[in-house]
């Protein structure tokens, strides 16, 4: 299974792709999409949407794991993070990939085993799990790789929960 | 000038198109895009994005006026409204329309002359300004028509402010 993690953001949108073959987990790509802060919001969102589409067309992941965002103290940032997450979810559906969403705490719990782990702890575990020579940089890219790793860990559980949900909804 | 107002929302996304010819303001289209609540969020967002693109391709407005959304008490709704607004802004840019954003209070101020106007007052004024036989229904469609009317009223002022901003940024 090939999973692309996306840590949505307008100024910095992290992505990280992890392929699993048997027991082996391998980082295929990671990086950050940025949009210029001096541009108007609609143009920045459109640029991000275009970059996300291009990334999905290039990588063709089976599943896209997007961080589930909540409201922060900074209302302005939270709104643009919400808008960016919407674009990521739509890009995933339109690329015919499966879509999963995890909160930051769920990712930390799955990857570090501790929901309140620090960014540095996440980076170390991502490095270790993927056998990388160096700690993945920047933090947004590491978070995106962690999202992909979280989905690799959670997918079997999620599949069972989803099947039960669908069955319950049809009753 | 032909303006499409969009009142973003995931369950109900209002739209209303108003054309101005000389002093005459005419409603060309209005309605509501809905997505089924029983579907998963990513599919609903993708369906909304598709509908918005189709609407823009059909109407080809010069400008799209999108309600600027803020956080409400209902955090779940606010996030999906934010996501929907992001999709509307991107659809507008990709359709090569101009984009404007107004808060609900700015719209009420421009259309009713009173920032705390009720939904009913907005509907009455929209009916009156557009010479409609009946009050526009539902409220989301009336709000979208009001957004379009707000832009028709504000565009000359906005153009001057924007020109001044661009000039200031280049200094």
């Amino acid at each position: 299974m090939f999973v692309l993690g996306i840590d949505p953001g307008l100024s910095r949108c992290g992505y990280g792709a992890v392929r699993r073959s048997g027991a082996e987990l391998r980082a295929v790509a990671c990086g950050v999409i940025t949009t210029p802060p001096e541009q108007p919001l609609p143009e920045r969102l459109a640029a991000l949407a275009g970059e996300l589409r291009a990334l999905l067309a290039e990588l063709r992941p089976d599943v896209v794991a997007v961080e589930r965002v909540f409201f922060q103290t900074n209302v302005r940032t939270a709104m643009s993070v919400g808008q960016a997450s919407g674009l990521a979810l739509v890009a995933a559906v339109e690329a015919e990939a499966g879509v999963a969403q995890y909160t930051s705490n769920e990712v930390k719990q799955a990857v570090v085993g501790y929901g309140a782990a620090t960014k540095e702890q996440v980076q170390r575990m991502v490095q270790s799990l993927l056998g990388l020579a160096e700690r993945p940089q920047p933090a947004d890219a590491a978070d995106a790789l962690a999202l992909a790793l979280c989905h690799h860990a959670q997918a079997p559980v999620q599949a069972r929960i989803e099947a039960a949900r669908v069955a319950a909804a049809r009753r």
Side-chain angles (χ1 to χ4, degrees), chain A:
Chain A
M1 187 169 59
F2 185 28
V3 181
L4 174 65
I6 296 180
D7 183 19
L10 184 61
S11 295
R12 311 175 54 75
C13 180
Y15 66 90
V18 176
R19 190 181 294 281
R20 178 183 193 152
S21 312
E24 192 210 11
L25 291 162
R26 193 165 55 86
V28 174
C30 81
V32 174
I33 299 168
T34 60
T35 65
E38 66 276 13
Q39 273 191 12
L41 174 71
E43 277 74 11
R44 293 178 74 187
L45 290 169
L48 176 61
E51 295 273 357
L52 287 169
R53 271 181 220 135
L55 189 69
L56 283 158
E58 185 194 330
L59 295 174
R60 305 179 66 83
D62 302 311
V63 177
V64 178
V66 181
E67 184 167 322
R68 191 187 295 278
V69 287
F70 291 104
F71 296 110
Q72 319 284 328
T73 41
N74 188 329
V75 168
R76 268 195 174 269
T77 303
M79 184 51 81
S80 67
V81 170
Q83 290 170 325
S85 78
L87 299 179
L89 295 170
V90 169
V93 171
E94 292 184 345
E96 296 180 1
V99 187
Q101 285 192 277
Y102 300 100
T103 65
S104 173
N105 280 15
E106 286 170 336
V107 172
K108 289 171 182 171
Q109 185 66 49
V111 174
V112 184
Y114 174 55
T118 64
K119 288 234 172 240
E120 203 193 336
Q121 288 174 312
V122 171
Q123 283 174 304
R124 276 176 203 267
M125 276 305 286
V126 168
Q127 180 187 3
S128 167
L129 289 165
L130 293 171
L132 301 173
E134 294 180 12
R135 238 180 279 173
Q137 293 282 359
D140 311 76
D143 285 348
L145 287 171
L147 272 158
L149 287 168
C150 174
H151 185 71
H152 277 296
Q154 297 295 315
V157 183
Q158 286 292 331
R160 281 202 293 274
I161 293 172
E162 193 50 39
R165 264 198 205 126
V166 169
R170 282 187 184 152
R171 242 173 250 148

